[in-house]
Amino acid sequence: MSQYDQGLTVMLTAEQIHRKVVELGQQITRDYAGKDLVCIGVLKGCFPFLADLVREIELPLRVDFLGVSSYGDRTKSSGVVRFTSDLSKPVEGLDVLIVEDIVDTGLTMRYLLSNLKTRGPRSLAICTLLHKPDRTMIEVELDYIGFTIPDRFVIGYGLDYAEIYRNLPFIGVLGS
Ligand code: IMP
Ligand code: MG
């Protein structure tokens, strides 16, 4: 971690994240008992969260991924959402849980929801680790939220700045 020591402020520690992921996993386990759960991770930012979350869900489940890109390499949303990869299997008749790192403006989530709805899932819900309500442009109902955070650009635990920092075990802010 030493190479990151300068210029990073920790917002959420690995321990805080872990405790929240356990809590979310327990809620999802209760809510999805007896259902046909498929967790759909939104790449690339979801990968640590999804990997940790599914291991806290004590149910048979499937995992699939969607790739979307909305940011380019900047810290402001372009508003243009683009698929970079699609699901490997149909989700018709399944209970779909979208797993996201962060919902910021809501533009990406609106696009994902409208696209996934056309594929005939039995149910469709959202689990996001982070939510930045100050930046909402599109209201979407979020079924599971890890942390509500202020309007700061965060990195780590899957979140990047210009593709770097995804491997940090905590969530931080650039600068102090
Ligand atoms: P939205 O479409 O504005 O809700 O943004 C969704 C995507 O923007 C997220 O899935 C992230 O990939 C990216 N994003 C939004 N805020 C941040 C941030 O603070 N740090 C890193 N990525 C972010
Ligand atoms: Mg993302």
Side-chain angles (χ1 to χ4, degrees):
M1 210 172 87
S2 57
Q3 62 175 314
Y4 297 119
D5 279 353
Q6 285 179 326
L8 269 181
T9 308
V10 176
M11 182 186 275
L12 296 164
T13 64
E15 183 53 37
Q16 285 174 298
I17 296 168
H18 175 69
R19 278 200 298 268
K20 186 61 77 175
V21 171
V22 169
E23 206 179 288
L24 289 169
Q26 289 171 348
Q27 277 181 43
I28 293 165
T29 301
R30 283 194 296 273
D31 296 350
Y32 282 85
K35 297 190 175 175
D36 271 327
L37 176 59
V38 53
C39 293
I40 297 186
V42 184
L43 293 170
K44 301 176 198 165
C46 73
F47 75 93
F49 179 43
L50 182 93
D52 288 344
L53 182 67
V54 293
R55 285 179 289 175
E56 301 299 336
I57 302 175
E58 294 177 34
L59 295 172
L61 59 80
R62 291 166 236 218
V63 172
D64 209 337
F65 296 96
L66 270 176
V68 293
S69 173
S70 61
Y71 254 71
D73 278 349
R74 298 176 305 278
T75 60
K76 287 279 177 288
S77 180
S78 61
V80 178
V81 183
R82 179 172 70 85
F83 267 105
T84 56
S85 63
D86 201 358
L87 297 175
S88 66
K89 294 246 162 61
V91 291
E92 191 173 353
L94 300 179
D95 296 294
V96 170
L97 182 63
I98 303 174
V99 179
E100 249 289 30
D101 49 3
I102 186 165
V103 175
D104 184 28
T105 61
L107 286 162
T108 304
M109 208 35 94
R110 176 180 64 176
Y111 184 80
L112 283 178
L113 282 175
S114 66
N115 184 287
L116 287 172
K117 270 181 198 153
T118 66
R119 306 185 194 203
R122 182 159 65 195
S123 67
L124 187 53
I126 300 169
C127 176
T128 185
L129 180 65
L130 304 176
H131 182 218
K132 271 195 229 171
D134 294 346
R135 303 238 320 146
T136 301
M137 289 169 61
I138 310 285
E139 293 279 355
V140 270
E141 193 188 324
L142 303 172
D143 303 271
Y144 305 92
I145 300 174
F147 301 94
T148 298
I149 61 164
D151 183 8
R152 300 291 304 276
F153 192 83
V154 288
I155 45 150
Y157 198 67
L159 293 147
D160 71 304
Y161 173 67
E163 295 297 329
I164 309 295
Y165 303 112
R166 293 191 197 274
N167 58 322
L168 293 179
F170 56 87
I171 290 172
V173 181
L174 287 173
S176 46

